[in-house]
Amino acid sequence: MKRTWITLAVIGVLSACSEQPSKTESTAAPQETLSLNTQATPPVAKKVPHELTAHGDTRVDNYYWMRDDERTDPEIIAHLEKENAYTDNVLAPLKQDRETLFEELVARVPKNDATVPYLKNGYWYHTEYEGEKEYPVYLRKPEKDGEESVLLDVNELAEGHDYYSVGQLSVSTNNNLLAYSEDTVSRRVYTILVKNLETGALLEDRLEDTSGEVQWANDNTHLYYIKKDLQTLLGYQVYRHKLGTDQSEDVLIFEETDPTFYTGMSKSKDGDVIYIHHSNTEKKGVTLIDANDANATAEPFLPIREGLEYHVAKLDDTYYILTNHQAKNFRIMKVAADSTADINAWEEVVAHDPAIFLNGMEVMQGYLVTSQKKNGIPSMMVRNLETGNAKTIPMADPIFNVGFYNNTQINADSVRIRYASLTTPPSVIDVNLATLEKDTLKQEQVSDDFNADNYASERLMVPAGDGKEVPVSLVYRKDSFKKDGTNPLYQYAYGSYGHTIDPSFARNWLTLVDRGFVVAIAHIRGSQMLGREWYEDGKMGNKINSFTDFIDVTTYLTQNGYADASRVYAMGGSAGGLLMGAVANMSPDSYDAIIAHVPFVDVVTTMSDASIPLTTGEYTEWGNPANADEYQYMLSYSPYDQMKAQDYPHMLVTTGLHDSQVQYFEPMKWVAKLREMKTDDNLLLFDVNMESGHGGASGRFERLKRSALEYAFIFELAGVDL
């Protein structure tokens, strides 16, 4: 998906809660006491009128000139550097605060840490972090307690690069070769390399311009990968590569000709089938490749149909299918492997329930495990495939987040899950399929004095203006929450693509709640928190509901004692940045400050230009401006177009020069136009990472510097001392 932005900086692993009292009382500081350098002069961008006409409507974009797809224009680079210099100048008095907050955030990250090992094809795989090192080391061992060997030390690979990210690792069936992908620019365009695990040497094979996904054929000689269009950044071609040959000789296995689809790839648990995944927001499907045939062709599981979505999992000669076929909130069906293309041969296994949103499944020998939501509360159910008996896995907290985690074995006697709540650090748990007995393999550690009892979480249902009720998840520190309208509020939401932000442990948010903040996740329309209809009621011609839901949540929380109306801080990133831009236009008085990370704010211009990366894949999310009614609706809320002469809140906007999802020039133009239009003296700061892209810095500590900047900015405005 294009505008997703879920990183550790946002939903970071909320860990560390201490026994000590909250760090400060919640008292607002008058704006005139700000210690920031408010006398600094912001850069003023030149205006070059550029007319954009569609459906008889002409828009004049004075900052269209800021787009440079090559990212080399000296004038544009110089302007971005001026923006960074201005931000640094304004925030210079907070230098010590930023350093203190950075150290606090870093201190919550375990220096020496390791993931829970999982078994795959005879080896146990895990990842380790060590000391002050920024990047992981990938390891494996032939026995659970055996001697481990290094697959990749990313710290070594990253040396000499301002940005470095490993996309995917894939080990050959004979366990001797490792294919892995790397991105050194942050445009999510990966190069695939192959390493001999016996000698440690790299093969000469080098596959350029890929999506980073790679799967082996079972002959250990061929591998499959997805080629990207370097202009649109869409992965659209699946190739088969033979080791030892040039990439130009690779065989095209599948080509996606519909530019509204995204293409992905994975492999069945038994290793026999490689899946090509096809996805847009209204239809999804799968194409199969026989991993045992080095000359296999791509065969559709079931041809893509309008409005039909399905995902599959193979068990012996049967496929289990999670689908919306005649089921708005999905059901599970099964079909014999030789009859997949006959939808009439599909048999129901789990019936559709309009009150339950079925959103995931794992299939093991003899068992089917499902994940679902009812009224926004998740659950997991284990179903015996022989008897049909189904039991719900018990969970500890009233509101929480739970998901499947590294279930690689068909013959497993347990299902592995990852569980967390707003007050409970993430745990990796094995659940016995027969008895539901739990074995907690690991719970993330934060600090020696952590005590979850210091914190509380709540689920509220907030009335929206049209009578719907919006779920809201809250977390706060018990000894500082007063419910008298004096606590500052940090309100976060995303609300697009059906992506749901479940209430989970975000260790970075402890920096806020330990200083008296209430943190709220508004589960607005556009997500699937309340099922498929909740998503459909917040996309396309209903997108405005996402924005009004967010504002209604703010109003409710301030009117009902949860928050100080003068100290509300809203944050969203990517498509959530669109949300921030819209609420800034619609209800600027509701927020003391708005933080918009990598914001998608120039909706109409971007969606009107198919050459802008990934745009065509978004037509079924936002609309296609070639259609007059969809053009007009997008125009009615597009933050860049709906800006007007009015007072705006304090604003902090961030981007990365190499962003592949939301191009840097969208927030750049937005900031320039905001400076031109706004009638207030509030701060408007623009922070540009000149080395990174959509997800920010690649190092686990380095990325926390932007969080420290954001929190220092908020605390200064809120009058909160460190």
Side-chain angles (χ1 to χ4, degrees):
M1 288 181 291
K2 179 176 182 181
R3 326 285 178 189
T4 51
W5 186 74
I6 310 299
T7 70
L8 291 178
V10 185
I11 308 292
V13 196
L14 173 55
S15 294
C17 312
S18 65
E19 294 278 5
Q20 59 191 336
S22 54
K23 298 177 186 285
T24 184
E25 292 297 316
S26 299
T27 54
Q31 186 168 317
E32 59 267 20
T33 67
L34 289 179
S35 61
L36 302 177
N37 182 11
T38 56
Q39 302 306 309
T41 302
V44 176
K46 71 177 183 181
K47 295 166 67 173
V48 180
H50 179 85
E51 291 190 354
L52 298 162
T53 301
H55 308 294
D57 176 61
T58 297
R59 296 175 296 132
V60 177
D61 185 351
N62 291 320
Y63 304 105
Y64 189 88
W65 65 270
M66 291 179 168
R67 174 180 175 179
D68 172 28
D69 291 351
E70 301 302 319
R71 291 158 170 75
T72 56
D73 187 303
E75 184 176 13
I76 291 173
I77 299 299
H79 188 83
L80 291 173
E81 290 173 342
K82 288 178 183 177
E83 289 284 5
N84 279 340
Y86 171 67
T87 296
D88 289 342
N89 196 352
V90 171
L91 297 181
L94 299 184
K95 182 176 184 295
Q96 185 57 55
D97 286 357
R98 290 170 63 179
E99 291 176 356
T100 298
L101 289 169
F102 176 69
E103 291 172 2
E104 178 181 312
L105 294 167
V106 167
R108 295 199 192 102
V109 179
K111 301 303 181 291
N112 299 307
D113 197 13
T115 61
V116 176
Y118 65 91
L119 178 65
K120 190 169 185 180
N121 197 27
Y123 279 83
W124 293 88
Y125 291 84
H126 71 290
T127 303
E128 289 185 357
Y129 287 91
E130 180 184 355
E132 302 298 321
K133 293 181 178 179
E134 291 277 8
Y135 298 97
V137 179
Y138 295 99
L139 306 109
R140 72 174 182 178
K141 45 193 173 182
E143 298 176 0
K144 201 168 187 179
D145 299 321
E147 183 178 351
E148 60 191 23
S149 59
V150 174
L151 297 174
L152 286 180
D153 185 337
V154 184
N155 298 283
E156 294 179 358
L157 297 174
E159 289 181 6
H161 297 286
D162 292 322
Y163 178 94
Y164 188 88
S165 177
V166 170
Q168 187 177 42
L169 284 72
S170 182
V171 177
S172 60
T173 307
N174 64 7
N175 290 315
N176 294 335
L177 299 170
L178 170 70
Y180 69 95
S181 55
E182 64 177 13
D183 173 14
T184 60
V185 179
S186 192
R187 289 288 281 170
R188 301 189 185 184
V189 178
Y190 294 85
T191 297
I192 295 172
L193 305 169
V194 181
K195 179 180 180 180
N196 185 316
L197 293 176
E198 295 181 327
T199 66
L202 286 178
L203 277 61
E204 293 184 1
D205 303 76
R206 185 179 179 89
L207 308 178
E208 306 279 2
D209 304 333
T210 83
S211 71
E213 297 170 83
V214 56
Q215 297 293 338
W216 286 93
N218 292 337
D219 67 350
N220 306 298
T221 301
H222 293 85
L223 51 80
Y224 294 87
Y225 65 94
I226 301 172
K227 192 83 176 286
K228 276 197 168 185
D229 182 304
L230 294 183
Q231 178 61 42
T232 67
L233 297 187
L234 280 173
Y236 73 111
Q237 293 175 322
V238 177
Y239 279 93
R240 181 170 55 233
H241 172 75
K242 183 178 181 179
L243 294 180
T245 65
D246 190 80
Q247 187 177 6
S248 63
E249 300 176 32
D250 292 351
V251 178
L252 179 65
I253 300 299
F254 172 84
E255 181 168 9
E256 180 58 76
T257 57
D258 185 339
T260 69
F261 274 87
Y262 295 103
T263 303
M265 195 163 51
S266 65
K267 200 172 189 180
S268 62
K269 284 183 188 177
D270 63 11
D272 287 340
V273 176
I274 294 168
Y275 302 131
I276 302 174
H277 303 282
H278 318 288
S279 174
N280 78 12
T281 57
E282 295 183 337
K283 45 192 172 182
K284 295 176 174 65
V286 176
T287 294
L288 309 178
I289 302 173
D290 185 349
N292 297 306
D293 181 359
N295 297 305
T297 57
E299 303 294 337
F301 183 91
L302 175 76
I304 300 292
R305 300 186 182 185
E306 201 67 37
L308 177 67
E309 301 183 25
Y310 67 87
H311 308 268
V312 305
K314 184 175 179 291
L315 179 62
D316 298 328
D317 293 326
T318 300
Y319 282 95
Y320 286 79
I321 310 152
L322 176 63
T323 180
N324 69 343
H325 176 52
Q326 299 176 347
K328 168 80 77 173
N329 274 339
F330 290 77
R331 60 175 169 164
I332 294 177
M333 308 182 78
K334 68 177 181 178
V335 67
D338 58 3
S339 302
T340 65
D342 180 6
I343 201 168
N344 295 317
W346 294 12
E347 302 173 30
E348 185 169 84
V349 178
V350 179
H352 176 247
D353 184 337
I356 296 176
F357 175 51
L358 194 58
N359 58 10
M361 67 176 179
E362 286 283 2
V363 183
M364 276 78 78
Q365 199 70 50
Y367 291 93
L368 169 68
V369 187
T370 60
S371 64
Q372 52 272 319
K373 279 189 172 75
K374 184 175 183 179
N375 296 325
I377 304 298
S379 65
M380 283 189 166
M381 185 170 289
V382 178
R383 179 175 274 94
N384 186 305
L385 289 174
E386 182 177 344
T387 66
N389 182 47
K391 297 181 289 186
T392 300
I393 301 174
M395 304 293 174
D397 298 282
I399 58 173
F400 56 89
N401 180 24
V402 64
F404 297 114
Y405 185 79
N406 281 343
N407 290 284
T408 58
Q409 302 300 299
I410 283 286
N411 295 313
D413 58 8
S414 63
V415 61
R416 183 164 293 181
I417 63 174
R418 186 178 186 273
Y419 173 89
S421 76
L422 286 167
T423 59
T424 306
S427 297
V428 176
I429 303 168
D430 277 353
V431 181
N432 186 282
L433 293 166
T435 66
L436 302 191
E437 181 180 349
K438 294 181 181 178
D439 180 13
T440 299
L441 306 175
K442 177 185 177 181
Q443 184 175 65
E444 289 193 6
Q445 298 299 310
V446 184
S447 63
D448 293 337
D449 54 4
F450 167 72
N451 185 352
D453 291 338
N454 290 336
Y455 300 84
S457 62
E458 292 185 35
R459 165 61 56 83
L460 305 176
M461 297 300 289
V462 171
D466 62 358
K468 299 289 180 67
E469 290 189 319
V470 182
V472 180
S473 298
L474 303 177
V475 63
Y476 48 79
R477 189 173 173 112
K478 292 176 182 177
D479 60 11
S480 63
F481 178 59
K482 302 175 182 178
K483 204 177 179 181
D484 61 358
T486 61
N487 289 86
L489 172 67
Y490 183 87
Q491 184 175 320
Y492 169 67
Y494 184 71
S496 291
Y497 304 104
H499 185 80
T500 300
I501 307 296
D502 285 303
S504 192
F505 203 77
R507 72 166 56 134
N508 289 351
W509 285 350
L510 283 174
T511 292
L512 298 164
V513 296
D514 277 349
R515 291 174 173 84
F517 275 75
V518 173
V519 173
I521 307 173
H523 306 289
I524 58 179
R525 278 173 278 189
S527 73
Q528 293 185 115
M529 177 57 80
L530 297 182
R532 190 67 175 188
E533 288 187 5
W534 199 244
Y535 170 39
E536 293 175 351
D537 209 17
K539 63 176 284 198
M540 295 292 286
N542 297 318
K543 190 61 201 171
I544 196 72
N545 291 330
S546 301
F547 316 140
T548 55
D549 281 355
F550 190 88
I551 296 166
D552 289 341
V553 167
T554 303
T555 301
Y556 181 90
L557 294 177
T558 55
Q559 290 182 350
N560 287 273
Y562 286 94
D564 179 352
S566 68
R567 293 191 295 165
V568 179
Y569 304 91
M571 191 279 279
S574 197
L578 163 63
L579 171 69
M580 295 299 99
V583 301
N585 286 337
M586 295 167 64
S587 189
D589 294 341
S590 297
Y591 306 95
D592 186 31
I594 287 177
I595 297 89
H597 295 294
V598 291
F600 172 46
V601 284
D602 192 12
V603 183
V604 177
T605 303
T606 292
M607 294 306 300
S608 298
D609 189 342
S611 72
I612 293 178
L614 308 182
T615 289
T616 54
E618 309 295 304
Y619 287 155
T620 52
E621 180 71 22
W622 317 107
N624 185 344
N627 302 320
D629 56 339
E630 294 174 12
Y631 169 89
Q632 290 296 337
Y633 188 80
M634 283 186 281
L635 188 63
S636 73
Y637 67 75
S638 172
Y640 187 70
D641 294 290
Q642 292 305 314
M643 206 179 301
K644 56 189 174 184
Q646 65 176 4
D647 287 358
Y648 281 88
H650 297 286
M651 300 185 77
L652 171 63
V653 182
T654 70
T655 194
L657 178 63
H658 300 288
D659 197 326
S660 59
Q661 312 303 100
V662 178
Q663 308 305 301
Y664 77 89
F665 46 82
E666 287 200 41
M668 184 183 184
K669 290 166 54 179
W670 186 47
V671 167
K673 190 173 180 181
L674 273 169
R675 288 226 173 91
E676 174 191 352
M677 300 293 292
K678 72 191 195 82
T679 56
D680 57 81
D681 294 323
N682 290 331
L683 294 169
L684 173 56
L685 304 179
F686 189 30
D687 182 69
V688 185
N689 189 321
M690 303 297 283
E691 283 79 43
S692 76
H694 201 60
S698 53
R700 61 172 177 156
F701 300 125
E702 186 67 22
R703 64 166 59 101
L704 295 175
K705 290 181 178 179
R706 183 162 276 175
S707 298
L709 181 155
E710 175 187 333
Y711 294 163
F713 177 67
I714 290 172
F715 292 156
E716 175 66 17
L717 298 177
V720 171
D721 296 326
L722 300 192

